[in-house]
Amino acid sequence: LIKHHFSSQKVFLTGNGIEIEQIEQVPNQKKQIDALFIGRINETKGIFDMLKVLSIIKQQFPKFTLAIMGDGDDATKNKFKKEIEKLNLQSNVKFLGYISGIKKFQIIKSSRCFWFLSVSPSESFGIALMEAVSSGLPAFTYNLPVFKKIYQHQEVTFSPIHRPDIVAKKVIKLFQSKKFSNKNGTKLLGKYSWENIALLENQAITKLLRCC
């Protein structure tokens, strides 16, 4: 907006929030899913890189499961499923469809780790990633600049973009340690409440009224 000559004094970044109350309502769950992805079934979300990661991990953990929560267009889903068959991962990938509310957080908390290998240059926040991190899941993502700004205290495990081999090694290391918790991640739970975001928006509106 500023590049298109909007006044910088009239542009405010307030951010996104997550459903903290629902996260807090859900107690710790029995771990049933090895890895979870939440988001659109879209190439920019790194879905094909995830299959490469899974294929490498399967060599050491044959029954490793990746759950996909979300939906996408038919063409991409068909291409994705064909790649799953090509890599012989049919028994390792579980499609959950679109899920919301308390049930979503029950599934998040029943997972051992979270994958979000987005490669999109337009990635702005990653609500699903923040939900998983704040719920205490170890999370694996690529080192996009936006994520490096948000997660500065080892709340997520970064890897270079399009390096599924490195991601796989780090996931394997996690499963060898069997430490499926993220204490640094849970510290972010209160920071991104909708109440805080509303406060920021109120402050922005107040500043706009004063300057205009």
Side-chain angles (χ1 to χ4, degrees):
L1 288 171
I2 294 170
K3 286 180 180 178
H4 285 81
H5 310 296
F6 280 79
S7 169
S8 61
Q9 294 182 350
K10 297 182 180 180
V11 179
F12 297 90
L13 181 63
T14 57
N16 282 304
I18 59 174
E19 301 293 343
I20 289 176
E21 295 80 6
Q22 293 187 8
I23 294 175
E24 292 178 332
Q25 284 178 31
V26 177
N28 291 332
Q29 304 285 301
K30 181 180 178 181
K31 301 298 185 183
Q32 299 177 337
I33 296 171
D34 292 322
L36 175 68
F37 163 76
I38 299 176
R40 286 183 294 113
I41 300 176
N42 184 280
E43 291 194 40
T44 63
K45 295 298 182 182
I47 57 174
F48 293 101
D49 276 14
M50 286 194 293
L51 294 185
K52 293 176 183 177
V53 174
L54 182 58
S55 186
I56 294 170
I57 293 173
K58 184 179 178 180
Q59 296 175 25
Q60 188 157 342
F61 299 105
K63 295 183 179 180
F64 194 98
T65 57
L66 168 63
I68 308 289
M69 186 189 299
D71 206 349
D73 63 88
D74 291 338
T76 304
K77 285 192 295 183
N78 290 336
K79 182 179 178 181
F80 189 50
K81 289 177 180 178
K82 286 181 180 178
E83 187 66 15
I84 290 171
E85 292 176 3
K86 178 182 175 182
L87 295 172
N88 193 29
L89 296 172
Q90 298 95 317
S91 62
N92 302 94
V93 179
K94 183 176 181 181
F95 289 94
L96 304 179
Y98 177 79
I99 298 173
S100 62
I102 293 295
K103 186 177 180 181
K104 177 177 72 171
F105 292 105
Q106 289 174 336
I107 293 172
I108 288 174
K109 291 193 175 184
S110 70
S111 303
R112 294 181 175 89
C113 68
F114 190 81
W115 297 359
F116 196 76
L117 304 184
S118 174
V119 297
S120 173
S122 63
E123 196 71 59
S124 60
F125 183 77
I127 291 177
L129 176 61
M130 179 58 72
E131 289 174 338
V133 169
S134 298
S135 296
L137 266 66
F140 298 85
T141 188
Y142 284 145
N143 55 2
L144 295 180
V146 63
F147 294 151
K148 299 203 79 172
K149 288 181 181 178
I150 296 172
Y151 303 105
Q152 299 184 6
H153 302 286
Q154 299 181 329
E155 298 95 344
V156 304
T157 299
F158 289 112
S159 295
I161 295 174
H162 288 311
R163 288 301 303 272
D165 56 319
I166 294 178
V167 177
K169 288 180 181 178
K170 293 179 178 180
V171 175
I172 289 171
K173 184 177 180 180
L174 171 70
F175 276 76
Q176 289 172 336
S177 73
K178 298 182 180 180
K179 295 179 180 178
F180 305 113
S181 62
N182 186 350
K183 292 182 179 179
N184 288 340
T186 57
K187 293 176 183 178
L188 294 176
L189 185 58
K191 184 176 180 180
Y192 292 96
S193 69
W194 282 113
E195 287 77 8
N196 285 345
I197 301 304
L199 179 61
L200 290 173
E201 290 184 354
N202 184 62
Q203 292 172 346
I205 291 169
T206 301
K207 288 180 180 179
L208 280 171
L209 291 174
R210 286 175 180 172
C211 75
C212 304

